[in-house]
Amino acid sequence: MTTHKNLLGGPDPTYLPENEDAYRLLGEESQPPAEVAAKHPTFSLAWAMLADDAFEAGRVVESYAYARTGYHRGLDSLRRAGWKGHGPIPWDHRANRGFLRCLAALARAAGAIDEKEETERCWQFLKDSSAEAYTELKR
């Protein structure tokens, strides 16, 4: 992966480590996201998938809980990867997508339960972290 020097003096992008076993369980073994989340609770993509499934089924509070879990587990992983609370979290890095999807799912579910401040904060956080993710996920 190529790292570009930030000419504006901001923090370098943060790249979460890959979890090949979790991807294999979701892909090759077609395990449900709930089973993958139970085996790999720090794997935000499984939480994002659970949040999306619950939201689509009209279970908004459940979606909110899944998204919040994946979001917080993702924040922990980002901090372990050197993130200092701000800076780019590139969408094009596969391992970052779970966290970014949880952030969008949290914004969406917060909006559905009328948590206006959290909705706005989460969408802004997503936009600040990855403009590409914001464009992709805020539809």
Side-chain angles (χ1 to χ4, degrees), residues 98-116:
F99 169 75
L100 296 167
R101 284 182 55 184
C102 281
L103 185 53
L106 184 56
R108 178 188 63 213
I113 62 172
D114 208 27
E115 285 281 339
K116 291 181 177 100

Side-chain angles (χ1 to χ4, degrees), residues 14 16 71-85:
T14 302
L16 291 172
Y71 165 78
H72 281 287
R73 297 310 297 257
L75 286 176
D76 292 343
S77 296
L78 284 165
R79 289 183 188 109
R80 281 192 299 277
W83 186 73
K84 302 293 186 210

